[in-house]
């Protein structure tokens, strides 16, 4: 595990809020000069602390209006096959192996509408070997939609 100091944590906080900050802007916000700030960011990337930087798109602005959470029950011997199959579906944005429910996996599927969800669910997901049942729930409103990790728990 990487040891992070207050500058590293501050860098991470600012990049979680706005990953497109220039190095100069980031350095000013964390109280460093540009060169040491750049070195720290590079080190955080090399150590795998910073996994990637992405642009978040407003799903409704691009007509992806339906988010479904599907809970899938599987045959345990088929877990690896299922994981490989759902990784090939661009509509599946998240896939978690879970406990505490009757299901084994929870998927987050984003599509334009119910017809497309029907196509994905019946045409692809339920056809994966080992899928023995699916329950779906639909997001009516995003109350909280964050990618920021709670860095207050990280010791430095």
């Amino acid at each position: 595990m990487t040891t992070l100091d207050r500058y590293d944590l501050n860098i991470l906080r600012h990049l979680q809020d706005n990953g497109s900050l220039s190095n100069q802007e980031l350095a000013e916000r964390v109280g460093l000069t540009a060169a040491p700030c750049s070195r720290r960011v590079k080190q955080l990337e090399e150590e795998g602390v910073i996994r990637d930087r992405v642009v978040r798109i407003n799903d409704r602005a691009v007509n992806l209006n339906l988010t479904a959470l599907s809970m899938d029950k599987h045959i345990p011997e088929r877990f690896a096959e299922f994981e490989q199959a759902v990784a090939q579906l661009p509509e599946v944005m998240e896939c978690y192996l879970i406990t505490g429910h009757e299901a084994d996996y929870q998927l987050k599927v984003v599509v334009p509408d119910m017809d497309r969800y029907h196509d994905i669910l019946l045409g692809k997901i339920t056809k994966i070997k080992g899928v023995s049942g699916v329950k779906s729930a639909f997001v009516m409103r995003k109350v909280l939609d964050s990618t920021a990790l709670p860095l207050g728990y990280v010791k430095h």
Side-chain angles (χ1 to χ4, degrees):
M1 185 170 143
T2 303
T3 302
L4 304 173
D5 66 15
R6 66 183 178 96
Y7 289 108
D8 295 327
L9 289 171
N10 210 4
I11 287 169
L12 294 173
R13 281 188 190 92
H14 284 285
L15 287 178
Q16 282 191 132
D17 288 340
N18 183 354
S20 67
L21 288 172
S22 71
N23 184 60
Q24 185 61 44
E25 291 170 319
L26 181 60
E28 289 171 7
R29 291 181 186 194
V30 300
L32 292 170
T33 58
C37 183
S38 178
R39 280 193 299 273
R40 284 174 177 265
V41 170
K42 183 175 169 67
Q43 183 175 359
L44 290 167
E45 290 171 336
E46 288 172 354
E47 292 175 356
V49 175
I50 295 176
R51 187 177 70 187
D52 52 28
R53 298 190 208 190
V54 299
V55 172
R56 295 189 68 206
I57 299 169
N58 178 341
D59 48 359
R60 295 198 181 264
V62 293
N63 199 33
L64 294 172
N65 299 314
L66 183 71
T67 300
L69 303 175
S70 112
M71 308 271 286
D72 302 329
K73 183 94 175 137
H74 298 79
I75 298 168
E77 296 79 33
R78 302 266 189 201
F79 281 4
E81 187 175 342
F82 176 79
E83 291 173 11
Q84 291 171 355
V86 296
Q88 302 304 310
L89 302 174
E91 299 86 356
V92 177
M93 298 194 57
E94 297 174 12
C95 176
Y96 299 100
L97 178 61
I98 61 172
T99 64
H101 290 279
E102 292 179 16
D104 298 306
Y105 286 93
Q106 181 164 336
L107 307 177
K108 177 181 173 184
V109 179
V110 177
V111 291
D113 52 41
M114 189 61 77
D115 290 336
R116 297 311 177 289
Y117 182 67
H118 179 265
D119 295 344
I120 296 295
L121 182 65
L122 295 182
K124 295 181 181 177
I125 294 173
T126 59
K127 291 191 176 186
I128 300 170
K129 284 185 185 177
V131 174
S132 62
V134 176
K135 288 184 180 181
S136 297
F138 301 95
V139 175
M140 298 187 55
R141 176 175 42 149
K142 290 182 184 179
V143 176
L144 179 63
D145 185 20
S146 175
T147 61
L149 292 174
L151 296 176
Y153 291 97
V154 179
K155 294 181 181 180
H156 62 281

